Amino acid sequence: MNIKKNIIIFLLIGLLTLLLIIKLVRKTPKKNIFQRVNDVNDLKQCNNNEIPKLINYNASWCKHSKKLEPIWFELEEKLKDKNIKIIKVDCEAKHNKGICYKEKIRYYPTIKLYIKNKVYEYSNSDPNINSLIEFIKERINQV
């Protein structure tokens, strides 16, 4: 009887450990590189700042958002030494619903560049690294 009890305890501990590992793996982002915008006030503060921000408003279920993800990581990597913030906003997250509503996000992904109280929307339907960089350069030169 004691052996069965020990086996059950051992299996339960193993199962709990496995569940904890799965939970940690799911919560760990692929790369922890993006600034997080938590509410509308963060976005206003973000826009008033001198540093340009490129924001990707997306949804995790959207195939176009998923297609953009590796391009977004590459863009962040290429621009990490530049004076620009690369931000990703998950519009499906409860804490981001107000931001996406305020910014009138109607489709995913929507990419906007914020420079000194001005907002520019990226309109290329098939984003790639070169067109995104060109979009940023053109808008920064306008300001």
Side-chain angles (χ1 to χ4, degrees):
M1 192 68 166
N2 216 5
I3 294 175
K4 286 183 181 179
K5 189 176 177 181
N6 288 341
I7 290 173
I8 290 172
I9 291 172
F10 178 76
L11 290 174
L12 285 174
I13 290 171
L15 181 61
L16 289 173
T17 303
L18 181 61
L19 290 173
L20 181 62
I21 290 170
I22 289 170
K23 188 174 181 177
L24 288 173
V25 167
R26 284 188 178 166
K27 283 194 171 191
T28 305
K30 291 179 185 176
K31 283 186 172 181
N32 191 15
I33 55 178
F34 298 115
Q35 176 181 339
R36 185 171 165 182
V37 178
N38 289 316
D39 62 23
V40 175
N41 290 330
D42 282 357
L43 188 62
K44 285 179 187 172
Q45 184 180 26
C46 186
N47 196 15
N48 290 333
N49 194 316
E50 291 292 315
I51 300 171
K53 281 91 179 162
L54 186 67
I55 302 182
N56 167 13
Y57 297 94
N58 65 79
S60 57
W61 52 262
C62 171
K63 70 177 183 178
H64 302 292
S65 292
K66 288 178 183 178
K67 183 180 175 188
L68 177 61
E69 193 165 323
I71 296 167
W72 206 252
F73 281 114
E74 183 181 351
L75 181 67
E76 198 282 333
E77 191 63 34
K78 282 191 175 211
L79 299 178
K80 70 181 177 186
D81 297 329
K82 305 293 184 204
N83 193 26
I84 185 167
K85 294 245 185 218
I86 305 298
I87 302 169
K88 185 176 174 185
V89 175
D90 179 3
C91 289
E92 294 300 302
K94 190 183 285 187
H95 61 273
N96 288 335
K97 297 263 184 198
I99 297 168
C100 297
Y101 178 79
K102 181 210 172 279
E103 289 299 307
K104 298 178 175 103
I105 305 303
R106 307 234 190 294
Y107 57 89
Y108 306 114
T110 296
I111 299 170
K112 293 187 177 188
L113 178 64
Y114 298 81
I115 308 172
K116 297 182 184 176
N117 292 319
K118 293 187 181 185
V119 182
Y120 304 94
E121 189 167 332
Y122 179 79
S123 60
N124 186 334
S125 61
D126 190 24
N128 62 67
I129 191 76
N130 293 329
S131 65
L132 284 165
I133 290 173
E134 190 61 33
F135 168 74
I136 294 166
K137 284 180 181 177
E138 286 175 3
R139 298 320 175 279
I140 288 176
N141 290 333
Q142 287 179 7
V143 176

